[in-house]
Amino acid sequence: MIDTLKQNNFTLVLSGGGALGIAHVGLLKDLQKHSLIPSEIVGTSMGGIIGACRAIGLEYHEIFTILKEFSTITKWVKFSFSGNSIIDSSKIERIFENIFKEKKIKDTLIPLKLISTDLKSGEKKVFTKDDNIMIKDALLATMAIPGIFSEKKIGDKVYVDGFLCENLGLLEACHDVILAVDVLGKNSFETKLPDNFIKTKNVLDMFEKSLRLLIHNQTNLIKNSIDKKLFLVEPETKDFNTFSFHKVDEIFRVGENLL
């Protein structure tokens, strides 16, 4: 794998997955260790956030420091008492403003594509250098899990999380060699049923397991339709919850040493 990546331009594809996406940074550490720089980055949701950080030139340790901020939930969560979501995204927007300033997608050092979903039509939207928008706005769109985070209006369109269309953006890769990291892949769910003492936890675990299976099946259909050299990395994320941001160190480690 490493030799092929060194000898070819390759697209790095990073999946969505909430806190599970912290594992992407472990893989970025591996890439840096082998002096591998992608020629393009495609990201959805948390994969988009981490991908955008790398695209503007941040190294893995700088990105990890940023994610440490998310381990303190009060720094980015502001509950909303109106609208369609539980969390108001204003705190997250300020974090993005501090990182990306006024940079637009066309200003990245590595070409960047961010996947979102048009809430009205249900169609996939891929933000690229051809879209004259700031990175922070595209990120607020790609990470907007419906009902959890505020939807993002850009122009006359309203966008939500890209996982509804393509959680692992393989179809958007322009290069013939793809390195894809799927934190919601086959290693993201238990085969056994939840068996907690508290029924409410069982119900929530079943719901999350079902979503992971749905997204995994979506990705498999896409994966089987592409005709490119694909290196697929699926970190062991089944022991973590989508909102386990307090376990940033542990999740980072499951993404290491997978190349």
Side-chain angles (χ1 to χ4, degrees), residues 164-258:
L164 294 171
C165 293
E166 192 178 2
N167 194 59
L168 187 68
L170 301 175
L171 296 175
E172 315 316 319
C174 72
H175 296 293
D176 291 332
V177 177
I178 303 172
L179 172 61
V181 190
D182 189 4
V183 299
L184 287 177
K186 65 182 181 182
N187 297 322
S188 72
F189 47 84
E190 296 277 4
T191 55
K192 62 185 180 182
L193 294 176
D195 187 23
N196 304 294
F197 177 75
I198 301 174
K199 180 178 180 179
T200 305
K201 177 119 175 40
N202 284 332
V203 172
L204 291 173
D205 284 352
M206 279 294 287
F207 182 69
E208 177 150 351
K209 177 183 175 70
S210 298
L211 276 178
R212 293 188 188 193
L213 285 170
L214 184 153
I215 293 170
H216 178 56
N217 287 332
Q218 172 207 82
T219 297
N220 276 340
L221 288 172
I222 294 171
K223 182 178 68 175
N224 293 333
S225 71
I226 64 168
D227 185 23
K228 294 188 176 185
K229 181 67 175 178
L230 172 63
F231 295 107
L232 179 61
V233 177
E234 298 172 288
E236 291 275 352
T237 57
K238 61 178 178 292
D239 294 331
F240 304 100
N241 186 280
T242 304
F243 292 95
S244 295
F245 287 96
H246 60 292
K247 296 184 177 181
V248 59
D249 293 288
E250 298 97 314
I251 300 174
F252 168 78
R253 284 194 289 271
V254 302
E256 288 185 284
N257 303 314
L258 298 179

Side-chain angles (χ1 to χ4, degrees), residues 6-195:
K6 283 185 174 180
Q7 293 166 12
N8 296 273
N9 290 330
F10 70 94
T11 297
L12 176 63
V13 180
L14 303 178
S15 76
L20 308 183
I22 296 167
H24 292 316
V25 188
L27 183 120
L28 292 183
K29 179 182 178 181
D30 288 350
L31 289 176
Q32 186 173 327
K33 179 173 67 177
H34 294 288
S35 301
L36 289 166
I37 299 175
S39 301
E40 174 188 53
I41 298 175
V42 180
T44 303
S45 202
M46 179 57 84
I49 295 171
I50 292 170
C53 289
R54 183 68 191 94
I56 65 170
L58 297 184
E59 302 289 358
Y60 85 88
H61 58 278
E62 296 172 295
I63 301 172
F64 186 70
T65 299
I66 291 168
L67 291 177
K68 279 281 193 179
E69 293 283 316
F70 285 82
S71 64
T72 305
I73 196 168
T74 55
K75 290 188 177 181
W76 61 274
V77 168
K78 177 182 178 182
F79 291 105
S80 175
F81 299 99
S82 61
N84 304 314
S85 64
I86 296 172
I87 299 174
D88 182 315
S89 299
S90 58
K91 283 188 175 182
I92 300 174
E93 183 169 5
R94 284 197 292 274
I95 292 172
F96 288 164
E97 286 173 349
N98 288 334
I99 299 169
F100 300 102
K101 306 296 189 278
E102 299 297 310
K103 286 187 174 69
K104 295 184 177 182
I105 295 180
K106 65 183 180 180
D107 299 324
T108 58
L109 300 176
I110 301 172
L112 176 67
K113 295 175 181 175
L114 299 171
I115 299 173
S116 189
T117 304
D118 185 317
L119 183 58
K120 294 180 181 178
S121 69
E123 294 178 353
K124 178 171 61 178
K125 169 61 182 176
V126 183
F127 292 104
T128 72
K129 64 182 180 180
D130 295 328
D131 294 286
N132 189 34
I133 66 168
M134 289 188 285
I135 295 172
K136 70 178 182 66
D137 290 331
L139 291 180
L140 288 169
T142 188
M143 60 155 279
I145 302 172
I148 305 296
F149 296 107
S150 306
E151 61 273 15
K152 178 63 179 176
K153 186 174 183 181
I154 300 176
D156 61 350
K157 305 266 189 186
V158 179
Y159 297 102
V160 290
D161 200 305
F163 85 86
L164 294 171
C165 293
E166 192 178 2
N167 194 59
L168 187 68
L170 301 175
L171 296 175
E172 315 316 319
C174 72
H175 296 293
D176 291 332
V177 177
I178 303 172
L179 172 61
V181 190
D182 189 4
V183 299
L184 287 177
K186 65 182 181 182
N187 297 322
S188 72
F189 47 84
E190 296 277 4
T191 55
K192 62 185 180 182
L193 294 176
D195 187 23

